[in-house]
Amino acid sequence: METQKLIIHFILLLLIPCSSSFTPIDNYLLNCGSQNNASLFNRIFMSDSTNQGSTFLSADKSISLINRNPHADLHTLYHTARVFPSTGSYKFSLRKNGTHFVRFHFSPFKAQGFDLTSANFSVLVDGNLVLTNFKPGSGALLKEFILKVGSNFLEIVFRPEGNLGFGFVNAMEVFTAPDDFVIDYGTRLVGPFGVVEYKNLSYQVLETIHRINVGGVKVTPFNDSLWRTWIPDEGFLVFKDAAKPVVSTHTPNYQKGGATREIAPDNVYMTAQEMNKDRSIIASQFNITWDFPVAPGGVRHLVRLHFSDIVSRALSLLYFDVYINGYSAYKDLDLSSLAFHVLASPVYVDFVTDSDDLGVIRISVSPSELSSSRGMNAILNGAEVMKLVNVVDSHVVHRKKRLWVLLVGSIVGGVVILLLVIAAFLLALKCRKKKKKPKQRAVENVGWTPLRFYGGSSLSRLSEGTALNSPGSYGYFGLRIPFADIQSATNNFDRSLIIGTGGFGMVYKGVLKDNVKVAVKRGMPGSRQGLPEFQTEITILSKIRHRHLVSLVGYCEENSEMILVYEYVEKGPLKKHLYGSGRNEPLSWKQRLEICIGAARGLHYLHTGFARGIIHRDIKSTNILLDENHVAKVADFGLSRSGPCIDETHVSTGVKGSFGYLDPEYFRRQQLTDKSDVYSFGVVLFEVLCARPAVDPQLDREQVNLAEWALAWQKKGMLEHIIDPYLVGKIKQSSLKKFGETAEKCLAEYGVDRPTIGAVLWNLEYALQLQETDQEGESYDDSSALEPVNVTTTIIPEGPSCNIRREGDNDNGYSDMSATEVFSQLMNTEGR
Ligand SMILES: *[C@@H]1O[C@H](CO)[C@@H](O)[C@H](O)[C@H]1NC(C)=O
Ligand SMILES: *[C@@H]1O[C@H](CO)[C@@H](O)[C@H](O)[C@H]1NC(C)=O
Ligand SMILES: *[C@@H]1O[C@H](CO)[C@@H](O)[C@H](O)[C@H]1NC(C)=O
Ligand SMILES: *[C@@H]1O[C@H](CO)[C@@H](O)[C@H](O)[C@H]1NC(C)=O
Ligand SMILES: *[C@@H]1O[C@H](CO)[C@@H](O)[C@H](O)[C@H]1NC(C)=O
Ligand SMILES: *[C@@H]1O[C@H](CO)[C@@H](O)[C@H](O)[C@H]1NC(C)=O
């Protein structure tokens, strides 16, 4: 017998690590009011009244109630109940504090003079009032709460309400949630004010209201590692015809940092609703919309949306917008970037919003204006709606607990006072030191928030470790990188690793501990751009991540160093691939168009995305980098400034930017708008087409300035005479025409006459489409393209004087000579 037992144990031990399912550290399942164990979905609910069970039950004047005539279909778990005629409680000791699931099973019956449907009671979990004057209906009901427990025990109190009230419960579950099930960063608070970050979500008590497997079938606790039930979405769809269910046969490609099976099971990520393209031609219904009934009147809810791109055949085809209660909640959601550039890899995004007066939360997805006409689609795989339980009743905390707190308080208090004295002393010392180093102090005052973006919750997990590929070493505030790590990454700033110089300082190539290649920008003490740029860059970059924007990996501000660490972009600046000694294999026209489209997308995100209204201010071919697949990434936000406020139309600021790319209007009037970026982008477009620098002082006077020169040819309708010789005969007439017109419009003298970057993006995609369609020379419908602009004679800023460094001289690209430098030179020469 003993050996048999041993063998079984051994087998069990072998099995446990193999099973990928989640095992909670604390896992209490109680069959309340029963002497027996009951099994539900392969889980054993233990009696709450036997020896081991009763250790949970305290203040026991409760009654075990047994239904002698249960309905044949009713599970044995619901044949018994524990009834509380007076206040009673359960206490659970926890091996791990933190976020827990607490579930109550209610299934009223009549027995021994009790009619459980007439119960009236409140429930407190860890001092939080989660159910108030609660009266379960007649059917079975599961109530689920998710909350953070701070201590190593959890108390659940049942408190009868009213004269004849009593409490009851049939079964209970208390178990540890997976790590990071609810996280504090990246949640988007959505409302009439727009989208802002919602902090400290994990400190809220959540009550599950809806859990939906969109486009799929019901998922039972059997198939869910947290024993949840997910129901189909059909009943919630507003226009059924707008949606079409999709099912994938492949298991999801779970990525480190993304969603996990515990966030939602395979079944949820393997099904979705997509746009029913046959029907949705009716423009007014170009939305898939679900209405979820919730508590009315501005009650705050968490909306967790699950996504996995199971509809696209390739990456970067799917861009869609998410609306919650009619408010834009996530614009231009790019599932490829969000999901680590892997198809069918699950992610989720958390939103917090208030219910409307009718008690509805309305969720819509619709194709973004960024999606190409072929890729127009929008999807949703799963949705969870949870109420943020308003914790109001605090006087009910048990007196015992209060005493405890008092006792602990006085002990802790003494220690705290001691610590405070020490802290004050240290602070005084530090302040004295800091007075000598005011710079460092200023850096510490930067309103620092960890990298997150787009507010994607999976992304926050990503940014807090895995994406930076260093969960342990850099921890939750993963962006701060120790100076020592940067030293070793760059071989102590080895000069042979320098890949660029700029106003800010040197740029080194480096490899972090975890083999992540990075570009390390080290600010020189007293560097020209200096501290304000460093702070701007951190503040802005911390808010932004996009496939077409170079992302910040971390920063360092130790030893009065100012260091920014970026992702390393393999193929370097676009400029290097266009002309000069660095150019190896010329880029094809299609590649160039795709690069311009990518850069326009990045810029469009800056102008209109989550971080809304950022003007880059220094768009040029050296600030557009190419990765190993020639995907364009816009770099160097060091000169960025937040865009205009609502009541202002421009930002007035000192002239910055690079010569040859500078908006003439900005130059004259010192007024900066997003249209200044559009101008610079127009110069880049001609640079890409003509493969020559924006400014080349060695050329004849009329050719020095590319914008001026190319515009002249464009207006003559003879642009093909000045294109990159390599491209001659390779561009279709219609594509070139569209491209030339687009660039021309970008270079309109007045900002108001220039298109938005979104329109530029659209036109570039059109140019690409024209290049790719077979019918050469076919006239195209221009109605949806840019409004024709009457371009008057363009006044280009004064040609450069000869002492300006030639644009092509500096090959590094991470930062070029900035206009501040140029202008100071100009002013010096002109002043004479
Ligand atoms: C209930 O299950 C527990 C643990 O699985 C076990 O120790 C106990 O003996 C069982 N009790 C009954 C009455 O079967
Ligand atoms: C919660 O658990 C952590 C880690 O075990 C421990 O350090 C902390 O003191 C606990 N908090 C409380 C309030 O018990
Ligand atoms: C439950 O008790 C509360 C508190 O006394 C009372 O206000 C409420 O009306 C009762 N509810 C029902 C349905 O009896
Ligand atoms: C978030 O929680 C932390 C820790 O409890 C607290 O210090 C901070 O003030 C909270 N922030 C907000 C915005 O509630
Ligand atoms: C759920 O699990 C059961 C048992 O493992 C399996 O037979 C069934 O097909 C699963 N259901 C779904 C929808 O995957
Ligand atoms: C989609 O729905 C949102 C909000 O319900 C609305 O603002 C938007 O205009 C709709 N989009 C389309 C294309 O109908």
Side-chain angles (χ1 to χ4, degrees):
M1 285 303 272
E2 276 307 306
T3 48
Q4 223 172 337
K5 250 190 182 170
L6 265 176
I7 288 168
I8 290 172
H9 269 123
F10 186 67
I11 290 171
L12 278 177
L13 275 176
L14 279 180
L15 281 177
I16 290 166
C18 294
S19 121
S20 62
S21 76
F22 169 72
T23 314
I25 292 179
D26 292 301
N27 191 15
Y28 294 106
L29 307 173
L30 295 186
N31 182 8
C32 302
S34 174
Q35 303 288 328
N36 303 311
N37 293 348
S39 166
L40 180 69
F41 296 117
N42 288 337
R43 305 162 84 201
I44 307 289
F45 284 70
M46 292 204 309
S47 159
D48 73 338
S49 4
T50 50
N51 290 336
Q52 69 273 47
S54 62
T55 54
F56 304 123
L57 206 52
S58 68
D60 196 21
K61 285 190 197 106
S62 68
I63 299 164
S64 298
L65 203 64
I66 299 166
N67 186 355
R68 302 282 173 202
N69 305 302
H71 191 278
D73 296 340
L74 200 64
H75 192 273
T76 49
L77 194 58
Y78 304 129
H79 292 185
T80 60
R82 178 152 307 276
V83 175
F84 299 94
S86 60
T87 300
S89 68
Y90 287 94
K91 270 201 182 107
F92 301 90
S93 65
L94 302 181
R95 276 188 286 167
K96 188 179 177 198
N97 59 36
T99 302
H100 281 71
F101 277 79
V102 176
R103 290 187 187 140
F104 301 100
H105 298 249
F106 299 108
S107 178
F109 56 83
K110 282 182 200 163
Q112 299 162 31
F114 281 102
D115 177 359
L116 296 185
T117 56
S118 61
N120 185 2
F121 60 103
S122 296
V123 177
L124 290 104
V125 177
D126 198 26
N128 303 305
L129 192 57
V130 296
L131 293 172
T132 312
N133 296 344
F134 180 66
K135 193 176 176 60
S138 52
L141 179 69
L142 181 74
K143 284 269 178 195
E144 177 187 276
F145 299 93
I146 300 167
L147 77 160
K148 187 175 253 180
V149 183
S151 62
N152 55 3
F153 76 93
L154 172 65
E155 188 179 36
I156 296 179
V157 177
F158 289 83
R159 187 178 72 194
E161 299 288 358
N163 287 338
L164 299 168
F166 60 88
F168 82 95
V169 64
N170 303 78
M172 272 165 58
E173 304 174 33
V174 172
F175 62 91
T176 323
D179 286 343
D180 295 337
F181 189 76
V182 181
I183 51 178
D184 288 327
Y185 310 110
T187 303
R188 301 173 148 239
L189 178 62
V190 179
F193 42 79
V195 178
V196 297
E197 190 186 11
Y198 183 88
K199 295 218 176 73
N200 282 7
L201 183 64
S202 76
Y203 292 89
Q204 301 295 327
V205 179
L206 304 172
E207 177 183 351
T208 307
I209 309 293
H210 299 287
R211 187 166 272 144
I212 312 294
N213 179 15
V214 178
V217 297
K218 181 173 174 179
V219 178
T220 64
F222 260 127
N223 305 67
D224 182 291
S225 56
L226 299 178
W227 309 281
R228 291 165 294 200
T229 302
W230 302 72
I231 64 168
D233 66 311
E234 267 117 29
F236 303 97
L237 270 173
V238 176
F239 304 112
K240 282 201 176 58
D241 280 351
K244 192 168 78 180
V246 245
V247 179
S248 164
T249 49
H250 298 287
T251 47
N253 295 316
Y254 291 101
Q255 298 295 308
K256 215 173 165 197
T260 60
R261 282 202 170 81
E262 279 68 53
I263 295 294
D266 290 2
N267 285 310
V268 169
Y269 291 119
M270 286 163 68
T271 62
Q273 297 277 16
E274 66 170 335
M275 301 294 311
N276 184 350
K277 286 176 199 164
D278 315 330
R279 298 295 190 132
S280 54
I281 301 159
I282 314 153
S284 63
Q285 292 181 10
F286 220 50
N287 256 344
I288 313 179
T289 299
W290 295 263
D291 275 355
F292 295 102
V294 294
V299 179
R300 199 145 267 201
H301 286 79
L302 167 69
V303 175
R304 175 171 285 188
L305 301 184
H306 300 268
F307 301 101
S308 176
D309 187 353
I310 55 170
V311 300
S312 300
R313 253 170 281 144
L315 286 168
S316 298
L317 291 177
L318 191 58
Y319 293 85
F320 56 93
D321 297 328
V322 178
Y323 299 88
I324 294 181
N325 281 347
Y327 303 117
S328 173
Y330 203 136
K331 214 170 159 352
D332 305 327
L333 194 154
D334 171 2
L335 257 194
S336 299
S337 320
L338 204 60
F340 316 94
H341 303 288
V342 176
L343 279 179
S345 62
V347 292
Y348 71 93
V349 183
D350 281 345
F351 302 91
V352 168
T353 197
D354 296 334
S355 65
D356 67 6
D357 290 341
L358 298 173
V360 169
I361 285 186
R362 168 167 284 202
I363 298 169
S364 310
V365 292
S366 71
S368 138
E369 57 187 22
L370 286 194
S371 42
S372 67
S373 50
R374 277 167 297 175
M376 284 260 189
N377 208 348
I379 65 162
L380 182 64
N381 301 65
E384 289 171 275
V385 177
M386 298 181 192
K387 186 164 114 183
L388 269 58
V389 177
N390 234 343
V391 178
V392 278
D393 184 322
S394 54
H395 75 271
V396 219
V397 180
H398 261 187
R399 208 180 281 151
K400 259 189 206 162
K401 196 168 166 185
R402 281 225 194 111
L403 268 176
W404 224 92
V405 169
L406 268 177
L407 191 67
V408 172
S410 49
I411 297 169
V412 170
V415 177
V416 164
I417 289 170
L418 197 73
L419 284 176
L420 275 177
V421 171
I422 296 170
F425 179 70
L426 288 176
L427 209 71
L429 266 182
K430 219 178 167 188
C431 285
R432 277 176 61 185
K433 268 191 199 163
K434 274 203 186 136
K435 272 184 193 143
K436 290 175 201 156
K437 283 195 219 164
K439 252 190 172 176
Q440 204 175 345
R441 180 170 201 164
V443 172
E444 282 169 10
N445 284 342
V446 174
W448 176 250
T449 43
L451 186 61
R452 85 187 86 85
F453 324 72
Y454 289 108
S457 298
S458 325
L459 269 172
S460 321
R461 308 159 132 256
L462 154 101
S463 57
E464 280 149 23
T466 40
L468 313 175
N469 300 308
S470 54
S473 51
Y474 305 142
Y476 266 79
F477 292 90
L479 282 189
R480 197 184 287 259
I481 299 177
F483 184 66
D485 286 13
I486 292 175
Q487 271 182 311
S488 72
T490 56
N491 202 4
N492 201 13
F493 302 102
D494 187 339
R495 294 196 67 81
S496 69
L497 293 175
I498 292 178
I499 50 172
T501 58
F504 186 78
M506 294 294 179
V507 186
Y508 299 79
K509 184 179 173 175
V511 182
L512 290 178
K513 273 191 215 154
D514 29 38
N515 281 326
V516 176
K517 280 196 212 161
V518 289
V520 175
K521 256 192 178 185
R522 185 191 196 187
M524 287 295 160
S527 73
R528 192 157 41 76
Q529 290 185 17
L531 197 63
E533 273 81 3
F534 183 69
Q535 294 171 348
T536 311
E537 202 144 349
I538 287 184
T539 323
I540 292 178
L541 277 174
S542 67
K543 291 186 192 127
I544 295 169
R545 182 168 288 193
H546 189 271
R547 175 172 158 82
H548 296 293
L549 297 174
V550 174
S551 46
L552 185 70
V553 171
Y555 74 104
C556 171
E557 48 167 23
E558 281 169 44
N559 312 335
S560 60
E561 291 273 356
M562 295 184 291
I563 298 173
L564 291 171
V565 181
Y566 293 90
E567 68 174 306
Y568 181 73
V569 185
E570 198 68 39
K571 287 194 150 68
L574 167 62
K575 178 182 201 147
K576 211 176 77 183
H577 299 265
L578 292 175
Y579 48 86
S581 52
R583 166 156 144 172
N584 297 324
E585 204 178 309
L587 299 167
S588 71
W589 180 235
K590 186 181 171 210
Q591 277 178 315
R592 293 186 206 199
L593 281 173
E594 279 169 347
I595 288 163
C596 293
I597 288 168
R601 275 195 207 287
L603 203 49
H604 182 263
Y605 184 77
L606 285 181
H607 287 179
T608 65
F610 178 45
R612 204 165 286 278
I614 291 173
I615 299 168
H616 186 290
R617 311 212 310 165
D618 200 13
I619 287 292
K620 53 182 173 178
S621 58
T622 43
N623 275 338
I624 297 170
L625 310 184
L626 303 183
D627 78 359
E628 61 278 16
N629 302 316
H630 290 106
V631 172
K633 287 172 184 281
V634 177
D636 205 347
F637 307 99
L639 297 173
S640 305
R641 285 283 180 281
S642 284
C645 300
I646 303 146
D647 52 352
E648 280 176 67
T649 55
H650 67 275
V651 175
S652 193
T653 158
V655 172
K656 283 188 178 173
S658 293
F659 205 74
Y661 294 92
L662 205 66
D663 171 8
E665 191 173 42
Y666 170 27
F667 176 54
R668 276 198 311 272
R669 299 166 60 190
Q670 305 254 309
Q671 286 185 352
L672 179 71
T673 69
D674 51 1
K675 296 297 182 65
S676 308
D677 282 349
V678 172
Y679 182 92
S680 309
F681 193 71
V683 178
V684 172
L685 292 181
F686 277 132
E687 206 179 340
V688 165
L689 179 69
C690 306
R692 56 148 284 186
V695 172
D696 190 343
Q698 316 233 305
L699 295 172
D700 292 344
R701 181 83 183 93
E702 73 277 10
Q703 290 190 31
V704 168
N705 187 302
L706 171 63
E708 194 179 0
W709 184 59
L711 264 185
W713 286 93
Q714 162 67 19
K715 284 185 189 139
K716 281 189 274 180
M718 294 163 74
L719 197 56
E720 63 272 19
H721 290 272
I722 61 162
I723 66 172
D724 183 354
Y726 169 80
L727 294 176
V728 170
K730 299 191 177 107
I731 310 182
K732 290 199 178 141
Q733 194 57 43
S734 54
S735 179
L736 179 61
K737 184 161 179 261
K738 179 90 273 188
F739 189 87
E741 284 170 6
T742 309
E744 179 183 356
K745 281 161 192 166
C746 291
L747 297 181
E749 194 191 347
Y750 296 101
V752 289
D753 297 331
R754 294 176 206 144
T756 63
I757 195 71
V760 173
L761 171 57
W762 202 99
N763 279 270
L764 291 173
E765 284 191 327
Y766 197 28
L768 176 60
Q769 221 170 315
L770 289 169
Q771 178 70 18
E772 297 207 286
T773 49
D774 292 322
Q775 308 97 306
E776 166 64 287
E778 191 192 90
S779 72
Y780 54 89
D781 172 19
D782 214 3
S783 56
S784 48
L786 301 173
E787 295 264 323
V789 179
N790 285 334
V791 182
T792 50
T793 38
T794 311
I795 303 158
I796 299 293
E798 284 283 293
S801 21
C802 293
N803 63 345
I804 290 181
R805 201 153 33 130
R806 208 185 137 170
E807 269 280 319
D809 286 347
N810 186 346
D811 241 357
N812 63 71
Y814 277 88
S815 179
D816 239 76
M817 174 164 62
S818 83
T820 10
E821 193 177 76
V822 177
F823 280 114
S824 59
Q825 290 182 26
L826 270 178
M827 279 158 202
N828 288 344
T829 44
E830 280 170 7
R832 277 173 207 148

